[in-house]
Amino acid sequence: MSKGTKVPGYMQGKGSRNPRGIIGDREIRYKCSLQNTILDVLRGRPGWQEVPGQNNIQPNVNQANPKQAGSGSTTQGTTSGYKGSFQSIPPITRNSDGDWDFYWCDREWLAQNYDTMFLYEHQKILHFRNHYELTRKNLMVKNLKRLKKQTERELGKAEGQSFEFFPTTYELPSEYHIFVEEFKKNPGIIWIMKPAARAQGRGIFLFRRLKDITDWKKGEYQPLSDPNREVPETYVVQRYIENPYLIGGRKFDVRVYVLVVSYNPLKVWLYRSGFARFSNTRFSLDSIEDTYVHLTNVAIQKNAPDYDPDKGCKWSTQQLRKYLSAKHGVEAVKKAFKGIDNIIIKSLQSVQKIIINDKHCFEMYGYDVLFDSDLKPWLIEINASPSLTASGKEDYDLKFGLLNDLLNVLDLENRLTGKEKRVGGWDLLWEDGPILADDGNMECAPNGTTASIPNSFLGCHNERKRQLRELYTAAQSIKKS
Ligand code: ADP
């Protein structure tokens, strides 16, 4: 698209908006590329109104009767978040070209339009321009390795050990020869091969013998006579975690939601709730070709022959934390979950100087973390578009609350003071440095704790609605005084 082409959000010269960037006394106009829980949340949010137009899903009932938008009624979901005092007002006249305040866009849209877009002060859009630095498997590891090396150089080897949370990984084909050397040093171990840019377990396989990979490499990377053949796909080959923590004999990984509202300074929120995804079949190293045993992706597991959609393969993170605490004690679990905080912060710092920081952008990442049998957490991957499609009622409630609270953190309604450390289920984990919990917020802390603890409550109680009510009442009185 050439510079100056008008795209949704491209407002240069139109001047239809308050130049100070305050939305003021009118409804908040949003666009959304997805047709799942996020759309329900947006439609159910008092005072928010959908903008019709290209790159947006079909207009809904709220367009036909704008007043409904303010009443919180929705055709698809129910508002489970705080219904504040925000007053819906009649919509202003607008062009239907996508004049928006908030855009939950897909990554492709952003890639195509970001460079030609002009955004007003207050506009918010999902994704940072080069989010793939963290979400492509090969780039994530490259960035982590670089920061690890730099840390070792500047602060010593011991500090570098805090990066030992990602399995040994090489990019293929570029690092094939280094991989072969490493392979020979560790005969008999299992490796996992993953396409760098695919998702949902597609194209993944495990292997033990070098022969498996040389055969595969021949098929995949040998030059063919066909000149139209596409460039070979980049893969990562990674050491397979052979001793995953098992519950009921099954392997699982944990989905953790992380919100970044700024990379400079780095400002990070961590959501209390998430889930563990179990494989459907008991774990064993005998059948490394069986994806139902080794890959915990829901997309894979739901095709397992004995998959029970009612039972699903999920536990809430609260359930998991409770189970682990009962088994290993609160301290051991605190240490394990602190390891997840470390993974989050180190991985974000590894791209902090690379990500194109833009105050209009935010990102909600889905981290996939696997515990080994010593309860050590390992980073498997980071998603910039974690699935927002619900697999059942409980999953819907989780995602609805998560997304509603994300909008509460972004606070386009301007209801907060800006000093909050907790908004609904989101806790502020980092703001240019670690955040400590306020006194009295000692959930998940061992009995008798008085010392400062990090403001991190993954898997702790999430009574978000009550917290929001108290928060907004307090913020209102602070603002009045
Ligand atoms: P995708 O993006 O296709 O989901 P992932 O890297 O998340 O790819 O891997 C899919 C699944 O495979 C993970 O959820 C996990 O269960 C398993 N897995 C991936 N890497 C490893 C590893 N190094 N060790 C053990 N299991 C792994």
Side-chain angles (χ1 to χ4, degrees):
M1 186 171 291
S2 64
K3 266 245 180 272
T5 309
K6 197 164 74 164
V7 296
Y10 183 88
M11 298 288 297
Q12 208 151 28
K14 278 179 91 179
S16 63
R17 171 142 327 128
N18 183 333
R20 287 174 301 137
I22 295 166
I23 298 171
D25 246 7
R26 63 159 172 79
E27 88 281 22
I28 294 166
R29 292 160 298 182
Y30 67 86
K31 289 189 75 169
C32 180
S33 307
L34 302 180
Q35 203 148 15
N36 53 34
T37 320
I38 180 61
L39 185 61
D40 290 354
V41 169
L42 289 165
R43 284 180 173 169
R45 205 161 162 94
W48 286 51
Q49 191 173 6
E50 200 167 332
V51 176
Q54 255 188 343
N55 268 305
N56 203 0
I57 45 85
Q58 290 304 302
N60 71 356
V61 66
N62 290 346
Q63 251 85 55
N65 179 4
K67 287 205 177 95
Q68 282 190 356
S71 69
S73 66
T74 161
T75 47
Q76 297 188 19
T78 50
T79 312
S80 54
Y82 169 72
K83 289 196 180 76
S85 58
F86 187 86
Q87 291 294 310
S88 163
I89 56 165
I92 56 165
T93 329
R94 61 167 184 276
N95 297 325
S96 58
D97 68 347
D99 185 1
W100 49 269
D101 305 309
F102 178 89
Y103 194 179
W104 194 278
C105 70
D106 53 55
R107 290 170 296 172
E108 293 72 24
W109 189 92
L110 194 84
Q112 279 170 19
N113 296 292
Y114 183 84
D115 299 335
T116 57
M117 231 165 37
F118 170 85
L119 294 172
Y120 273 94
E121 187 76 11
H122 72 281
Q123 281 180 295
K124 288 278 176 207
I125 187 161
L126 179 67
H127 301 307
F128 287 89
R129 173 70 181 87
N130 53 345
H131 60 82
Y132 46 79
E133 289 288 346
L134 205 52
T135 56
R136 276 187 73 135
K137 296 175 176 71
N138 55 333
L139 298 181
M140 176 188 91
V141 171
K142 192 176 100 193
N143 288 319
L144 279 168
K145 282 183 182 172
R146 193 189 45 239
L147 186 60
K148 180 177 185 219
K149 258 198 199 136
Q150 187 191 331
T151 306
E152 284 174 347
R153 226 179 20 245
E154 291 171 7
L155 303 170
K157 282 258 175 217
E159 267 306 304
Q161 280 176 4
S162 61
F163 282 83
E164 280 169 14
F165 54 76
F166 59 99
T168 307
T169 308
Y170 300 98
E171 181 186 283
L172 297 184
S174 62
E175 296 180 321
Y176 181 74
H177 295 290
I178 321 175
F179 161 67
V180 171
E181 269 176 43
E182 185 67 21
F183 181 94
K184 287 179 178 163
K185 274 194 236 157
N186 301 283
I189 70 165
I190 301 174
W191 295 85
I192 185 166
M193 189 77 138
K194 310 194 268 191
R198 283 198 253 171
Q200 301 192 323
R202 280 190 284 260
I204 298 184
F205 64 93
L206 276 62
F207 66 95
R208 260 201 187 100
R209 302 173 309 171
L210 198 54
K211 185 179 173 311
D212 297 333
I213 196 82
T214 44
D215 288 351
W216 171 87
K217 185 169 172 271
K218 265 187 209 140
E220 198 76 7
Y221 292 129
Q222 285 302 305
L224 294 182
S225 47
D226 179 2
N228 297 324
R229 193 189 150 148
E230 284 179 16
V231 193
E233 188 173 359
T234 302
Y235 275 71
V236 293
V237 61
Q238 187 169 77
R239 190 167 176 162
Y240 186 68
I241 294 158
E242 295 184 31
N243 62 329
Y245 191 98
L246 303 179
I247 297 181
R250 278 151 233 262
K251 170 180 174 174
F252 63 92
D253 68 359
V254 188
R255 168 55 55 89
V256 180
Y257 294 103
V258 172
L259 170 65
V260 176
V261 291
S262 161
Y263 267 96
N264 189 19
L266 185 60
K267 187 166 182 182
V268 186
W269 297 78
L270 170 62
Y271 201 67
R272 296 181 168 218
S273 304
F275 50 85
R277 302 176 298 187
F278 286 81
S279 72
N280 205 45
T281 315
R282 290 180 78 83
F283 185 77
S284 148
L285 291 176
D286 297 339
S287 49
I288 62 169
E289 66 295 330
D290 189 342
T291 48
Y292 299 132
V293 174
H294 298 283
L295 310 191
T296 49
N297 308 66
V298 176
I300 300 274
Q301 294 299 328
K302 70 179 182 201
N303 295 320
D306 45 352
Y307 177 74
D308 176 351
D310 293 330
K311 253 173 46 198
C313 295
K314 282 183 179 175
W315 267 17
S316 72
T317 314
Q318 276 76 12
Q319 232 174 322
L320 178 70
R321 189 161 184 154
K322 227 180 190 171
Y323 174 91
L324 294 175
S325 300
K327 210 145 182 208
H328 303 278
V330 173
E331 275 307 314
V333 174
K334 256 181 77 185
K335 186 169 165 239
F337 278 56
K338 208 170 161 197
I340 297 181
D341 296 348
N342 179 55
I343 289 176
I344 295 167
I345 296 307
K346 293 278 186 326
S347 57
L348 295 172
Q349 284 176 332
S350 78
V351 294
Q352 199 186 349
K353 295 201 175 96
I354 300 170
I355 295 282
I356 300 166
N357 190 50
D358 181 333
K359 62 175 184 268
H360 302 101
C361 302
F362 64 96
E363 197 80 73
M364 187 183 78
Y365 296 106
Y367 276 66
D368 290 341
V369 173
L370 191 104
F371 284 114
D372 68 17
S373 51
D374 300 320
L375 267 188
K376 173 183 159 75
W378 291 88
L379 174 61
I380 299 299
E381 78 156 340
I382 305 172
N383 299 281
S385 305
S387 167
L388 302 179
T389 304
S391 59
K393 163 89 174 75
E394 209 175 308
D395 201 36
Y396 184 83
D397 290 345
L398 162 72
K399 285 169 179 163
F400 199 95
L402 166 84
L403 294 165
N404 226 338
D405 286 350
L406 182 149
L407 300 181
N408 292 333
V409 172
L410 295 181
D411 194 29
L412 272 78
E413 293 96 340
N414 198 19
R415 290 182 293 194
L416 300 176
T417 64
K419 303 249 183 285
E420 289 77 7
K421 286 184 182 177
R422 178 177 173 193
V423 178
W426 290 100
D427 296 292
L428 183 60
L429 183 63
W430 190 272
E431 187 173 11
D432 214 12
I435 301 290
L436 294 179
D438 288 331
D439 285 351
N441 198 353
M442 293 291 159
E443 287 165 69
C444 296
N447 287 340
T449 302
T450 47
S452 306
I453 60 161
N455 197 43
S456 165
F457 299 96
L458 180 64
C460 301
H461 197 45
N462 184 6
E463 63 334 338
R464 49 178 291 278
K465 288 190 197 172
R466 183 181 63 73
Q467 197 275 341
L468 284 168
R469 267 195 302 276
E470 289 170 6
L471 183 69
Y472 284 126
T473 312
Q476 231 171 18
S477 59
I478 292 170
K479 282 178 149 188
K480 272 188 198 148
S481 63

